[in-house]
Amino acid sequence: MQIQFPYSFLWGAALSSYQCEGDNVNSDWYLWEKEKGLISSASACRHYHLFDQDFQLASKLNLNSLRISLEWARIHPEPATFSLEELTHYQKVIDALIKYNLKPIVTLHHFTNPLWFAKKGGWGEVKNIDYFLSFLKKTVEALKERVDLWIIFNEPLVYIYNSFILGIWPPGVRSLSEGKRVLNNILAAHLTGYQEIKRIYQDSGVNPQVSMAKSLRIFSPSPGPNFILNSLTAGLRSQLFNFRILNYLTKKNALDFIGLNYYCREFSKFKGLIGEESDYKPKRGRQNYLGWNVYSQGFYKLLKRLKRYNLPIIITENGTAENKDSLYEDFLIGHLKSLALAMKEGVDIRGYLWWSLMDNFEWDKGFGPRFGLTEVNYSTFERKLKPFAYTYGKICKDNRIEV
Ligand code: BGC
């Protein structure tokens, strides 16, 4: 059976500034890499200079949308200063997207902060929320003629988990109470930021669509003697990590659509208050390059569960890191089939963005994992489309899939 997508369906890919641009020397991550002796993001993909070429490749694949992020530290280099030069740079970046018929979807915060913001206590301090909001205001005003789809935060819980619970990302804190404080401050920034964006467009005749990119996983109980406790833990973790923020923000009417990032399935085990991920690997499943449990049926299940919010959904990230082309293709097709079935059964999905347009800097894991449609040679910065990208390009062009 063939499933046809609506004419207006957004086919795209996603990327983030820090992971691709290179030389973001004023961001908290840059210092972190140095201090911790991690692999340096250095010039990353040189995307800051090569963006036109990257977008041209995206248009070659028949994509009609692209999710990018803006580097806060570039636009807002000091607490009371905004860089006109960097705002102009991002205007040029977005003009290039438009030139290649790629609808811009713009993220304002994708894990990184200006160093000065981090030094003032970052997201742990209520008083710092205003710094972010002044960046948001300045930036949205500068780009409002070009952009009407905004993501304020990317994956707040992933950020908090790594930066404030595990302590493996900057600022390297390990404290549940600090994590909770940060979450409250980020949610407060989202709520005010949402209103602010609506206000900025007030007399423009455009109603910008504003959301969050929310990471969701399937949580399954790890088998074994503790199965019942593990089941309770999986249910709790699903509620906490998947649905709590969505319930809160939808009740406040502060999401115009759901931005869904989906990668994998977690097997949970009982431990302490909130449990943890077990290393159980099911015999019938497969793991990707990073050991993540690939589970395309889970994508279908989550999409069906999101239907109850009665909001349109855009898949703001879905993808994998592999070392064999056929595995990317297998992942892509499996997940697109799940998506098409969910749509057929009435879930209102408006777009699908592959993570990522190009191989890039995978945070603490450096350049090993490759998520891109485009392969990047980190010595010469040459780009080359991977074979599976052509399969994706054909689906985008045909706007339909065989299920
Ligand atoms: C993040 C990306 C990251 C990707 C793969 C997502 O959670 O938004 O920044 O590269 O996952 O790990």
Side-chain angles (χ1 to χ4, degrees), residues 35 67 133 169 205 274 352:
E35 278 179 357
R67 176 178 168 221
L133 291 173
W169 287 3
I274 54 167
Y352 175 87

Side-chain angles (χ1 to χ4, degrees), residues 71-255:
E71 198 59 21
W72 179 10
R74 286 189 188 270
I75 294 176
H76 199 174
E78 286 170 52
T81 318
F82 291 95
S83 163
L84 199 59
E85 201 182 320
E86 295 292 357
L87 280 170
T88 309
H89 168 81
Y90 284 117
Q91 285 173 339
K92 283 190 193 143
V93 169
I94 293 170
D95 285 342
L97 287 174
I98 295 166
K99 174 178 82 179
Y100 290 113
N101 292 317
L102 298 162
K103 185 172 178 59
I105 302 166
V106 180
T107 308
L108 288 162
H109 187 273
H110 197 123
F111 299 157
T112 54
N113 303 295
L115 204 48
W116 60 259
F117 176 82
K119 286 189 176 149
K120 283 178 179 289
W123 287 104
E125 299 288 336
V126 165
K127 63 176 178 0
N128 289 346
I129 297 174
D130 281 347
Y131 289 117
F132 177 75
L133 291 173
S134 59
F135 154 68
L136 174 146
K137 189 164 174 266
K138 191 82 184 171
T139 306
V140 173
E141 263 161 7
L143 301 175
K144 67 171 189 244
E145 262 97 51
R146 297 162 168 86
V147 180
D148 61 13
L149 275 174
W150 292 97
I151 305 278
I152 303 180
F153 287 97
N154 180 65
E155 301 186 341
L157 287 183
V158 173
Y159 170 61
I160 291 168
Y161 194 61
N162 286 318
S163 294
F164 299 93
I165 310 287
L166 293 181
I168 57 167
W169 287 3
V173 173
R174 297 178 70 157
S175 150
L176 201 57
S177 57
E178 180 74 350
K180 278 189 191 153
R181 239 190 322 275
V182 170
L183 177 60
N184 289 338
N185 292 340
I186 286 183
L187 290 177
H190 175 95
L191 291 177
T192 316
Y194 176 90
Q195 299 297 345
E196 188 60 33
I197 298 178
K198 296 286 179 179
R199 194 196 56 74
I200 292 170
Y201 283 75
Q202 216 167 36
D203 303 318
S204 69
V206 174
N207 181 15
Q209 299 298 289
V210 184
S211 189
M212 169 182 280
K214 178 76 190 74
S215 166
L216 267 74
R217 282 180 163 195
I218 285 284
F219 292 87
S220 304
S222 201
N226 277 340
F227 186 72
I228 295 185
L229 281 177
N230 293 348
S231 302
L232 292 172
T233 303
L236 172 75
R237 284 169 76 77
S238 177
Q239 195 52 30
L240 283 178
F241 292 117
N242 286 344
F243 299 111
R244 229 175 132 196
I245 290 185
L246 287 179
N247 292 344
Y248 175 76
L249 292 180
T250 48
K251 271 200 197 102
K252 299 254 176 204
N253 289 323
L255 293 178

Side-chain angles (χ1 to χ4, degrees), residues 119 172 288 295 368:
K119 286 189 176 149
N288 77 357
Y295 188 45

Side-chain angles (χ1 to χ4, degrees), residues 47-72:
H47 173 73
Y48 187 82
H49 302 285
L50 301 177
F51 63 88
D52 193 280
Q53 184 182 327
D54 290 327
F55 300 160
Q56 192 177 16
L57 283 173
S59 86
K60 219 173 137 183
L61 292 176
N62 312 300
L63 306 191
N64 60 18
S65 53
L66 206 86
R67 176 178 168 221
I68 61 165
S69 77
L70 311 175
E71 198 59 21
W72 179 10

Side-chain angles (χ1 to χ4, degrees), residues 15-16 19 67 110-111 154-155 158 162 169 213 215 261 263 290 292 316-317 319-321 355-356 360-363 365 369 371:
L15 55 85
S16 90
Q19 294 177 269
R67 176 178 168 221
H110 197 123
F111 299 157
N154 180 65
E155 301 186 341
V158 173
N162 286 318
W169 287 3
S215 166
N261 292 2
Y263 287 90
L290 286 161
W292 300 354
T316 36
E317 289 180 28
T320 186
W355 180 271
S356 176
N360 59 48
F361 178 71
E362 180 59 19
W363 308 112
K365 303 190 180 60
F371 282 87

Side-chain angles (χ1 to χ4, degrees), residues 264-320:
C264 57
R265 169 191 215 176
E266 168 188 308
F267 286 91
S268 315
K269 69 172 185 207
F270 174 72
K271 193 184 172 193
L273 220 52
I274 54 167
E276 65 179 22
E277 180 165 10
S278 85
D279 51 14
Y280 171 74
K281 305 286 176 219
K283 279 206 185 68
R284 278 200 302 157
R286 89 165 174 91
Q287 288 77 47
N288 77 357
Y289 176 86
L290 286 161
W292 300 354
N293 293 303
V294 173
Y295 188 45
S296 60
Q297 299 93 309
F299 193 29
Y300 166 81
K301 289 185 192 167
L302 279 176
L303 286 166
K304 295 280 289 198
R305 288 185 74 181
L306 290 178
K307 197 167 173 228
R308 66 181 143 117
Y309 291 105
N310 255 321
L311 284 172
I313 300 169
I314 296 179
I315 314 306
T316 36
E317 289 180 28
N318 176 237
T320 186

